[in-house]
Amino acid sequence: MRVIIWFGALLPIVYAAIRFSAEFHPVWLRDIFVFIEGYARIVLTKTPTDPLKFLTDLSGNSGLWLLAVTLSITPLRSYLKINFLKYRRFLGLFAFFYALIHALLFIAVDQQFDLAATAHEVITKPFIAFGMGAFAILLLMALTSTRKLYPKFRGWHKLVYFAVVLIAVHFLMSHKTVTFSHVTVVGVLLMLLAMRLVKR
Amino acid sequence: MLRRNNYGLIPSSEITSESLYQERRAFMKLGASAALMGSVPLMAALDFEKSKRGLEPTPFDQITTYNNFYEYGTDKESPAKLSKNLKIRPWTLTIGGEVQKSLTLDIDTLIKKIPLEERIYRFRCVEGWAMVVPWVGFTLASLLKQAGLTSKSKYVEFETLFDPVQFPQQSKSFGNIPFPYREGLRIDEAMHPLTILAVGLYGKELLPQNGAPIRLVVPWKYGFKSIKSIVNITLKEHQTRSTWNQIAPQEYGFYANVNPSVDHPRWSQSRERVLGKFFKQETLAFNGYGNEVAHLYKNMDLKKYY
Ligand code: HEM
């Protein structure tokens, strides 16, 4: 199980590596990728045109979906009696890992470590503030997820529900229009929260 | 009819030497013709006055695969994939409204008659990315003069083709913008020598994803002003419609001049991501064309009229 999680959670990084090495693929590998592209809606043979945007979106979406998987552990247990509880922390840390990359891309590359400018962005733009709020919560949870600290900070970890709402809004705001697929993503997140409200 | 576009606005560091540029152009043409054998439709080469010098153009492949064209979807890749069969001939362009003489023009006749020239322009999207495009086209002014302006010709409205059969998104009622797409300019902006109607890029006719067969290019404004696949140009007495401005007036202004000191509510406009580059660069006021166009907005508060 742990191997599957490692494998799944690192797929986005493998994907990024494939895309950024597109110019150097040997012919046979390129042929395989072209074949896959013919059947699946995925791009494998093209270096990202807008690399910073590509990595920001990839890390943001990976964080979002890993968080969704993390949040599905409890409903799986209460509704389907499948117990993956012991992997929850592991999954949550992977979600945080991508949120960290996402945040670092913004602070280090987008804002070039200009912390005053970053703070200005957070203060003046609700879109960034929501993202930063969610990130702060995930950071707090990651730091207090150790065996020693977790019992003391258990209650604080309920904040994740608030983080999910912030991320849902941040996600919707990151696009110029709201499309059906965006609504679906937000729907999944809200479902995961709603399943906790329904008492079992 | 030789016309030269020696607008003195290109910092010397960004000038590509003529021979290097020619070499690169030859290479790109090769690339383009190689692509022809694959899936890219055959685009005729154009006869035009070459630009003497210019910025380093973004590669053809990037300009033609990273597009905003909401008629095909909201992502950057769909336009190149879905637009291959756009029927760009025959194509009629009408010029009407407050003009002395309304015109109905066939695109081929127009391209044959009007002298074409190359313009290598910076292109800046409101989303924060930027590129450099070697357009081929002619000034909008030269066309508007054919129709003849009147004292009531104060604004120009442009309209993209409305054809839900060809543009799949135009029949969707949810998750996209209202169609047909419309944009507008004030008459002095429209008559400015930098404002062109482009019919080609990299020496060839435009591909559909870039707005074939004819599109507007206003290099000092955010890209959404540079409307694609135009069928109607209407001169008006009052300020025209502008699609993004109508959807979200607090985010997208009617003027939409590139302005690093006025942020979009969700992202900063002070810097930009050049396609193919990981690190951002400074955005220039009026996208670097301030010497030419700043006077148009002399007495305006650009924080208010963004
Ligand atoms: C540190 C605070 C954060 C900042 C500064 C931030 C910034 C950004 C930026 C600049 C974008 C791209 C918007 C554009 O298209 O221009 C974005 C998109 C996104 N962010 Fe964040 N973000 C933050 C936190 C988060 C967190 C914690 C998550 C979830 C784990 C997240 C998920 C996303 C998603 C899913 C997208 C959309 C990607 C897409 O367009 O497909 N963000 N964020």
Side-chain angles (χ1 to χ4, degrees), chain B residues 21-74:
Chain B
Y21 175 61
Q22 292 304 341
E23 235 173 84
R24 190 176 291 127
R25 181 204 299 285
F27 175 75
M28 292 317 304
K29 270 193 176 150
L30 245 172
S33 52
L36 288 180
M37 294 165 194
S39 49
V40 180
L42 186 89
M43 302 318 276
L46 294 163
D47 189 18
F48 59 94
E49 165 80 351
K50 288 202 176 87
S51 170
K52 285 285 171 286
R53 49 176 209 176
L55 304 151
E56 185 181 330
T58 301
F60 179 83
D61 171 59
Q62 294 183 347
I63 298 175
T64 54
T65 55
Y66 198 76
N67 309 100
N68 274 327
F69 203 163
Y70 278 45
E71 279 77 353
Y72 289 110
T74 54

Side-chain angles (χ1 to χ4, degrees), chain A residues 53 57 60-61 102-103 106 127 131-132 135 167 170-171 174-175:
Chain A
K53 168 84 172 146
D57 288 357
N61 286 316
H102 187 75
F106 186 75
F127 164 66
M132 201 53 92
F135 178 68
I167 289 169
H170 174 77
F171 170 75
S174 78
H175 304 94

Side-chain angles (χ1 to χ4, degrees), chain B residues 21-282:
Chain B
Y21 175 61
Q22 292 304 341
E23 235 173 84
R24 190 176 291 127
R25 181 204 299 285
F27 175 75
M28 292 317 304
K29 270 193 176 150
L30 245 172
S33 52
L36 288 180
M37 294 165 194
S39 49
V40 180
L42 186 89
M43 302 318 276
L46 294 163
D47 189 18
F48 59 94
E49 165 80 351
K50 288 202 176 87
S51 170
K52 285 285 171 286
R53 49 176 209 176
L55 304 151
E56 185 181 330
T58 301
F60 179 83
D61 171 59
Q62 294 183 347
I63 298 175
T64 54
T65 55
Y66 198 76
N67 309 100
N68 274 327
F69 203 163
Y70 278 45
E71 279 77 353
Y72 289 110
T74 54
D75 64 305
K76 302 279 181 296
E77 290 77 26
S78 292
K81 282 187 207 135
L82 302 178
S83 68
K84 293 207 174 80
N85 298 321
L86 179 68
K87 204 163 160 279
I88 47 179
R89 292 295 187 283
W91 189 279
T92 359
L93 174 67
T94 72
I95 302 172
E98 302 289 351
V99 286
Q100 289 170 18
K101 165 170 80 115
S102 295
L103 302 175
T104 303
L105 303 163
D106 168 62
I107 189 77
D108 285 319
T109 324
L110 176 67
I111 291 177
K112 255 180 231 126
K113 235 172 52 189
I114 212 155
L116 301 178
E117 57 179 306
E118 185 174 53
R119 297 281 182 102
I120 301 176
Y121 281 157
R122 294 184 198 85
F123 183 99
R124 170 64 153 81
C125 179
V126 71
E127 295 164 353
W129 54 273
M131 58 182 173
V132 174
V133 188
W135 301 109
V136 179
F138 52 89
T139 59
L140 174 61
S142 62
L143 191 61
L144 293 184
K145 275 180 202 148
Q146 287 184 21
L149 301 183
T150 74
S151 60
K152 287 182 174 169
S153 324
K154 297 209 172 117
Y155 288 89
V156 189
E157 184 173 272
F158 306 83
E159 205 172 276
T160 297
L161 175 71
F162 183 77
D163 181 354
V165 177
Q166 297 207 66
F167 289 141
Q169 292 290 322
Q170 287 184 337
S171 51
K172 304 257 159 72
S173 56
F174 178 79
N176 211 321
I177 58 177
F179 297 108
Y181 192 78
R182 292 196 184 93
E183 260 309 336
L185 295 174
R186 215 169 56 189
I187 193 68
D188 55 344
E189 300 174 321
M191 297 302 284
H192 193 281
L194 283 180
T195 303
I196 60 166
L197 287 172
V199 295
L201 68 85
Y202 267 111
K204 293 253 170 70
E205 284 182 13
L206 286 177
L207 289 170
Q209 60 267 38
N210 295 106
I214 187 163
R215 68 168 296 166
L216 182 69
V217 178
V218 195
W220 71 92
K221 292 177 181 283
Y222 293 120
F224 69 85
K225 293 296 288 183
S226 293
I227 182 171
K228 293 173 167 178
S229 306
I230 304 168
V231 286
N232 298 317
I233 299 178
T234 314
L235 279 286
K236 302 208 161 177
E237 199 179 353
H238 302 287
Q239 184 167 316
T240 68
R241 294 168 284 193
S242 161
T243 299
W244 281 104
N245 179 238
Q246 282 177 306
I247 302 170
Q250 64 299 343
E251 296 181 31
Y252 314 101
F254 173 78
Y255 288 94
N257 293 320
V258 174
N259 189 344
S261 53
V262 175
D263 283 354
H264 181 275
R266 278 170 285 149
W267 52 82
S268 162
Q269 296 293 24
S270 65
R271 288 179 305 123
E272 62 202 22
R273 308 184 304 272
V274 180
L275 294 190
K277 305 230 162 77
F278 190 56
F279 291 98
K280 296 170 100 174
Q281 70 176 25
E282 299 287 323

